[in-house]
Amino acid sequence: MVLIFLPLLLVLFKYRELGRFEWLFSGLFLVYGLALMGAQVPLSSRLGGLYLAVPSISYFFYLFPEVQTQYSMAVLRSLSFLGVVTAFVALILFFY
């Protein structure tokens, strides 16, 4: 579960360009990672997909929305926020 902190290394590449909302989202992601470390989540590929992959990919696309061109930046950031919040709420409801 320590792999959840790996996407936070992306801040090193964009820390000068980050605005207030990017820093707040990074803080939310950090709090989520700390909550995940404190939870007793059983090891499973499906649970790993929900609790590791979805928030990590959401965090990446929140910081780098210009990687894709199909959706607007507002839509992508909203979906990214929803991905992290959904995983966070599921973690709190099921394992705390």
Side-chain angles (χ1 to χ4, degrees):
M1 292 297 172
V2 178
L3 293 175
I4 194 65
F5 296 110
L6 191 61
L8 286 173
L9 292 175
L10 294 173
V11 173
L12 297 175
F13 296 106
K14 277 190 86 163
Y15 71 94
R16 290 185 180 152
E17 302 168 12
L18 293 180
R20 181 177 64 180
F21 291 114
E22 286 89 0
W23 283 111
L24 288 174
F25 193 74
S26 296
L28 173 70
F29 190 77
L30 180 64
V31 169
Y32 171 75
L34 293 174
L36 184 63
M37 291 300 295
Q40 297 294 327
V41 179
L43 296 177
S44 168
S45 63
R46 293 180 188 215
L47 288 176
L50 174 64
Y51 293 118
L52 290 176
V54 171
S56 298
I57 292 169
S58 296
Y59 184 71
F60 172 78
F61 279 116
Y62 193 88
L63 288 185
F64 297 101
E66 64 272 1
V67 170
Q68 64 82 36
T69 58
Q70 185 175 1
Y71 299 107
S72 69
M73 186 171 74
V75 170
L76 194 61
R77 287 197 168 172
S78 299
L79 290 173
S80 297
F81 181 75
L82 186 65
V84 173
V85 169
T86 301
F88 201 12
V89 168
L91 178 72
I92 297 299
L93 287 177
F94 294 127
F95 296 107
Y96 277 102

